[in-house]
């Protein structure tokens, strides 16, 4: 192996939740990109990745799949990310409907994923609490009843993002290590590049054969 190539364990995480709860902003903020309050809704799937160090000192590559929350794109989004080992469920603390719909997303996870690690993000927690439509005691009851790990997050201030993703990555790794290490996916570090400010899979370009005539 050449010095500029590094094989890393890759852990895959899908972000799920209603449209406009801040999934794309969470991904971008976690990647260190500038927060954009006027971010458009995601259409389809966006893939980003980041190298992080687990609590055991192992460096891994965490791939985030940012999915569309709109109903018409939901089936395709779920199908695309069903091989993920972890899920971040996201709702907007200022929109009660997005919290109520978490139960529907939980059903989708059970139908489309095989025992993934799951964390719940209550996003936009930087907004004044008197504007929240979801109260903390309501969230606490839901988390307790469903045995969730929960983080208040803000894509704007980055509150809770490192803690939430780090917990999820460590939980995934420990589960896979305990059950079947062959589920780890190893990829070449050079397979990814920055495209439009985000990490993305490099496209393979077929070289044209030279005309020898």
């Amino acid at each position: 192996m050449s010095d500029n190539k590094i094989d890393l364990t890759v852990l895959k995480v899908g972000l799920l939740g209603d449209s406009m709860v801040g999934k794309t902003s969470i991904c971008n903020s976690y990647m260190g990109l500038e927060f954009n309050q006027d971010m458009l809704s995601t259409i389809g799937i966006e893939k980003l990745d980041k190298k992080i160090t687990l609590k055991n000192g192992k460096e891994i590559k965490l791939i985030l799949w940012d999915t569309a929350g709109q109903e018409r794109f939901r089936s395709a989004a779920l199908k695309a990310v069903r091989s993920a080992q972890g899920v971040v469920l996201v709702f907007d603390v200022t929109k009660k409907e997005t919290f109520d719909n978490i139960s529907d997303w939980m059903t989708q996870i059970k139908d489309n994923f095989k025992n993934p690690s799951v964390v719940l993000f209550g996003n936009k927690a930087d907004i004044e609490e008197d504007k929240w439509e979801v109260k903390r005691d309501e969230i606490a009851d839901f988390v307790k009843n469903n045995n969730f790990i929960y983080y208040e997050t803000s894509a704007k201030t980055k509150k809770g993002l490192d803690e939430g993703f780090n917990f999820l990555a460590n939980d995934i790794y420990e589960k896979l290590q305990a059950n079947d290490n062959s589920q780890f996916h190893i990829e070449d570090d050079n397979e990814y590049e920055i495209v439009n400010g985000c990490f993305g899979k490099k496209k393979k370009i077929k070289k044209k054969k030279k005309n020898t005539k």
Side-chain angles (χ1 to χ4, degrees):
M1 184 183 299
S2 63
D3 292 339
N4 64 341
K5 291 184 178 180
I6 304 173
D7 284 339
L8 292 174
T9 295
V10 173
L11 305 181
K12 294 169 285 186
V13 170
L15 278 83
L16 299 177
D18 287 2
S19 178
M20 303 303 292
V21 295
K23 298 187 297 295
T24 299
S25 294
I26 285 172
C27 286
N28 288 344
S29 184
Y30 181 61
M31 295 295 161
L33 303 177
E34 185 176 354
F35 175 76
N36 181 359
Q37 193 164 341
D38 299 319
M39 185 73 64
L40 297 176
S41 294
T42 300
I43 297 176
I45 305 290
E46 295 289 337
K47 186 187 290 186
L48 308 93
D49 76 45
K50 181 176 182 176
K51 294 176 187 176
I52 67 171
T53 302
L54 300 178
K55 61 185 180 183
N56 64 4
K58 180 175 179 60
E59 187 178 48
I60 61 102
K61 182 183 291 181
L62 186 65
I63 294 182
L64 304 184
W65 280 327
D66 175 22
T67 66
Q70 299 97 318
E71 185 71 36
R72 64 185 185 276
F73 299 125
R74 190 170 297 180
S75 295
L78 286 164
K79 184 177 181 180
V81 303
R82 63 175 50 173
S83 65
Q85 302 119 330
V87 173
V88 176
L89 272 175
V90 185
F91 70 92
D92 178 348
V93 296
T94 70
K95 293 181 181 178
K96 182 67 159 54
E97 182 181 6
T98 67
F99 176 72
D100 294 338
N101 288 340
I102 289 296
S103 295
D104 292 334
W105 283 106
M106 289 167 59
T107 300
Q108 296 292 337
I109 290 172
K110 290 178 182 178
D111 292 343
N112 288 276
F113 295 82
K114 185 178 179 181
N115 191 30
S117 297
V118 181
V119 295
L120 181 66
F121 281 7
N123 196 40
K124 305 186 182 179
D126 57 282
I127 295 175
E128 296 86 345
E129 193 170 348
D130 60 1
K131 295 181 180 178
W132 291 20
E133 292 183 2
V134 190
K135 303 306 179 186
R136 282 197 170 97
D137 57 352
E138 185 177 9
I139 298 170
D141 288 341
F142 181 82
V143 168
K144 182 179 180 180
N145 292 336
N146 290 280
N147 196 28
F148 268 133
I149 300 298
Y150 171 69
Y151 293 89
E152 281 188 6
T153 63
S154 167
K156 185 176 182 179
T157 66
K158 300 185 179 181
K159 176 184 178 181
L161 299 188
D162 284 341
E163 295 87 345
F165 282 114
N166 285 343
F167 172 86
L168 187 60
N170 279 283
D171 193 57
I172 294 170
Y173 188 88
E174 289 169 3
K175 280 185 178 180
L176 292 177
Q177 192 175 46
N179 293 299
D180 183 4
N181 283 333
S182 66
Q183 294 184 60
F184 290 139
H185 182 46
I186 306 298
E187 294 197 8
D188 193 311
D189 190 45
N190 284 350
E191 286 190 27
Y192 287 82
E193 64 182 357
I194 295 177
V195 180
N196 296 328
C198 300
F199 284 93
K201 189 87 170 179
K202 286 184 177 179
K203 295 180 179 179
K204 293 183 179 179
I205 301 174
K206 292 183 178 180
K207 295 181 180 180
K208 293 182 179 180
K209 292 183 178 179
K210 293 182 180 179
N211 191 341
T212 55
K213 294 183 178 179

